[in-house]
Amino acid sequence: MSDEYWFCLKHHTVEGEDGCRNADRLGPYATSAEASRALEKVEERNESWDNDPKWNDEALED
């Protein structure tokens, strides 16, 4: 058995290796605690990328 964890997007639960199909989950994560924060991490990264001046489309001139 693997010591990796995934966050299931269908069930909003942490799963082990034998969970839902990979298309329906985020991971793998090293710990169950990390997997349980998957959606928070996605939100944090999206916020960071949305505010990154190197990738902000509004800053580009046509």
Side-chain angles (χ1 to χ4, degrees), residues 3-7 13-15 29-38:
D3 286 341
E4 295 178 318
Y5 301 87
W6 287 261
F7 183 81
T13 58
V14 174
E15 300 179 339
Y29 297 93
T31 67
S32 177
E34 285 181 67
S36 70
R37 288 196 66 243

Side-chain angles (χ1 to χ4, degrees), residues 7 9 12 26 29 32-48:
F7 183 81
L9 297 168
H12 288 249
L26 300 172
Y29 297 93
S32 177
E34 285 181 67
S36 70
R37 288 196 66 243
L39 293 181
E40 292 174 45
K41 192 68 170 175
V42 167
E43 188 173 327
E44 290 169 5
R45 287 180 179 158
N46 286 345
E47 182 70 25
S48 175

